Amino acid sequence: MRNTAKITTAVLAAGALTLGLSACGADSSSTDGPLIVAASPVPHAEILNYVKDNLADKEGLDLQVKEFTDYVTPNTATQDGSVGANYFQNKPYLDDFNKKNGTDIVPVVTVHLEPLGLYSHKVKKADDLKSGATVAIPNDTVNEARALKLLAADGLITLKAGVGNEATPSDIAKNPKNLKFKELEAAQTPRSLDDVDAAVVNGNYAIESDLKPSKDALVLESPKNNPYGNFLAVKKGNEDDPRVKKLAKLLTSPEVKKFIQDKYAGSVLASF
């Protein structure tokens, strides 16, 4: 989730927005006010809005949802207190973000997995990709590595031994189809499908683009032992905020599990 060409550049660009949030938003550091949660529109904000509309009142939780379409601002806003929590990311991405940006955001509870998938408007099977085909992949550090691991798991490429969550195309050991890689902001990958032969797309962006991961993906990430579950996160020290505890409980309730199963039909998987 390098969602922009360079995360550091995106942080600078997001600065004005986060300052704006601080100036006009409620003080999220107080445990007496509403809990404002930054979230990607799909499925995160949809899940949060289900909680807000159906479950929050019973727990005495005043929940407000702010939607963001990038993978940087939710963390910068959480760090500076513009929002009280966020829900959009996985652990490898957060670890990389904290390391690069000096933030101290921590996970609270894992809620769901959005399987990463390979999609195409030009071929029906991954094996049908021609020699020299162009594949779009996310350009943020973790999701780029995740995309390459997906292709390696399907035998399209082989990665060098020991490559971790910072793998790039330079870490490819074997590329029998001589695939070419177009590195794009994660949100742009589904929009590139008419211009490339295939694209690796994050689950949330696939759903937003009317792709059905469980049906449309040529290759889909396995949920087994998958480290990329998405979670509720807060700035370190706020884990015991009673509002956060209430939301964590509701996000992992049987009602939310049923909502995820019914609404996303396998394209989003509950992780609890």
Side-chain angles (χ1 to χ4, degrees), residues 1 44 87-90 109-112 114 228-231:
M1 284 174 227
H44 310 78
Y87 174 33
F88 77 101
Q89 64 192 324
N90 58 55
V109 65
T110 301
V111 181
H112 76 268
E114 303 158 26
Y228 297 107
N230 284 208
F231 47 71

Side-chain angles (χ1 to χ4, degrees), residues 39-119:
S40 298
V42 180
H44 310 78
E46 292 179 342
I47 295 170
L48 287 169
N49 281 320
Y50 170 80
V51 170
K52 177 182 177 181
D53 295 341
N54 298 277
L55 306 174
D57 283 349
K58 296 175 185 176
E59 288 291 327
L61 174 64
D62 184 357
L63 177 62
Q64 295 183 12
V65 183
K66 282 190 174 289
E67 296 186 11
F68 295 89
T69 58
D70 71 286
Y71 287 158
V72 175
T73 316
N75 275 337
T76 57
T78 302
Q79 183 70 22
D80 70 19
S82 300
V83 301
N86 67 56
Y87 174 33
F88 77 101
Q89 64 192 324
N90 58 55
K91 190 63 163 56
Y93 176 77
L94 177 59
D95 289 345
D96 181 72
F97 189 95
N98 280 335
K99 179 181 177 182
K100 289 182 175 177
N101 295 284
T103 47
D104 57 350
I105 298 165
V106 296
V108 176
V109 65
T110 301
V111 181
H112 76 268
L113 171 72
E114 303 158 26
L116 200 71
L118 177 68
Y119 300 85

Side-chain angles (χ1 to χ4, degrees), residues 20-235:
L21 283 168
S22 298
C24 65
D27 179 6
S28 294
S29 62
S30 170
T31 60
D32 296 327
L35 178 63
I36 304 172
V37 183
S40 298
V42 180
H44 310 78
E46 292 179 342
I47 295 170
L48 287 169
N49 281 320
Y50 170 80
V51 170
K52 177 182 177 181
D53 295 341
N54 298 277
L55 306 174
D57 283 349
K58 296 175 185 176
E59 288 291 327
L61 174 64
D62 184 357
L63 177 62
Q64 295 183 12
V65 183
K66 282 190 174 289
E67 296 186 11
F68 295 89
T69 58
D70 71 286
Y71 287 158
V72 175
T73 316
N75 275 337
T76 57
T78 302
Q79 183 70 22
D80 70 19
S82 300
V83 301
N86 67 56
Y87 174 33
F88 77 101
Q89 64 192 324
N90 58 55
K91 190 63 163 56
Y93 176 77
L94 177 59
D95 289 345
D96 181 72
F97 189 95
N98 280 335
K99 179 181 177 182
K100 289 182 175 177
N101 295 284
T103 47
D104 57 350
I105 298 165
V106 296
V108 176
V109 65
T110 301
V111 181
H112 76 268
L113 171 72
E114 303 158 26
L116 200 71
L118 177 68
Y119 300 85
S120 177
H121 286 171
K122 299 178 180 177
V123 298
K124 298 295 185 184
K125 297 185 298 182
D127 287 345
D128 293 338
L129 287 169
K130 295 180 180 179
S131 178
T134 298
V135 179
I137 56 176
N139 66 359
D140 65 88
T141 303
V142 170
N143 281 309
E144 182 167 59
R146 189 179 173 189
L148 294 172
K149 289 178 181 178
L150 174 70
L151 299 177
D154 198 59
L156 291 170
I157 60 173
T158 301
L159 292 171
K160 296 175 183 175
V163 231
N165 290 325
E166 296 186 356
T168 69
S170 65
D171 294 305
I172 295 173
K174 295 180 182 178
N175 186 358
K177 286 183 176 286
N178 193 30
L179 298 176
K180 297 177 173 59
F181 296 96
K182 187 171 185 178
E183 297 167 290
L184 298 173
E185 181 181 351
Q188 300 297 323
T189 54
R191 303 172 198 171
S192 73
L193 281 167
D194 289 331
D195 303 315
V196 298
D197 297 292
V200 178
V201 182
N202 289 72
N204 59 316
Y205 291 131
I207 296 167
E208 286 177 29
S209 302
D210 294 324
L211 295 168
K212 295 180 173 58
S214 59
K215 295 181 180 179
D216 297 334
L218 307 184
V219 181
L220 194 62
E221 208 172 34
S222 169
K224 187 176 181 181
N225 299 319
N226 195 303
Y228 297 107
N230 284 208
F231 47 71
L232 181 69
V234 297
K235 185 177 180 180

